[in-house]
Amino acid sequence: MKRALPLLLAALCCLYLFAGCGQSGAESPAGSSSAPSAGSYAGADSRLKKAREAARQLLGENYIPSAEIPADLLEEQYGLSPALYDHVLAEGPLMSAHVDLFIGVHASAGHTQQVLQALQAYRQKMLDNTMNYPQNALKIPATQVFAQGDYVFLVLLGAYPPVEQEMDDEQTTAYFAAQNQQVVDAIKASFQ
């Protein structure tokens, strides 16, 4: 019985997981409008996916974000209401101790500046709250917010310095800035 119970629980967990995998979701009723969702990147267009792929290819295993940021959290935490964008692809880390972010937004007509301001405000909030995770205080200043036409990005990505390479705080901050700049350049190049 002691062996059977863990096996039974494991089987039930697997059934529960597989039951959710086959559902395709309900269609929106005709005429109703729903906000673009970050879930399954259904709200992302091909340019956002191409930009993220450029970052992922550049960084390889050093691309840390792996959790989608849902539309409700984009509004609540990042100030991006669904009315401000047509498409979005947003990822953060699974562990809150990491700060790496990729947020790409295709602003809806006339809202590029508002999206830019919302993401700049979030960047400033991160800078103001570096004491929440002091180990990231040297990486957060590397965060860049930029527009590429009516696409707006907040990018904080890049490898951590090799442990055998001793750096002071200034050198570490410069290292993170250089890493993130390479990602920004790759994203911009993906639009050409």
Side-chain angles (χ1 to χ4, degrees), residues 95-160:
M95 294 179 5
S96 63
H98 290 289
V99 290
D100 293 52
L101 288 169
F102 176 95
I103 299 176
V105 177
H106 180 237
S108 56
H111 292 108
T112 304
Q113 195 60 34
Q114 285 176 275
V115 171
L116 199 56
Q117 289 170 347
L119 292 179
Q120 287 169 337
Y122 183 75
R123 179 186 186 275
Q124 188 58 51
K125 187 168 128 181
M126 288 173 56
L127 288 168
D128 294 342
N129 295 316
T130 55
M131 292 316 295
N132 291 346
Y133 295 104
Q135 72 273 21
N136 294 315
L138 300 177
K139 188 168 189 174
I140 289 172
T143 308
Q144 288 195 45
V145 176
F146 64 97
Q148 187 74 23
D150 50 1
Y151 287 84
V152 182
F153 294 90
L154 181 147
V155 180
L156 177 54
L157 299 169
Y160 284 82

Side-chain angles (χ1 to χ4, degrees), residues 46-60 63 102 153 157 182-191:
S46 61
R47 289 198 130 175
L48 291 173
K49 290 177 182 177
K50 190 175 176 184
R52 187 207 47 198
E53 190 55 32
R56 289 179 70 175
Q57 283 185 357
L58 176 71
L59 295 173
Y63 185 90
F102 176 95
F153 294 90
L157 299 169
Q182 289 177 2
V183 175
V184 169
D185 293 342
I187 290 170
K188 289 179 178 180
S190 77
F191 278 80

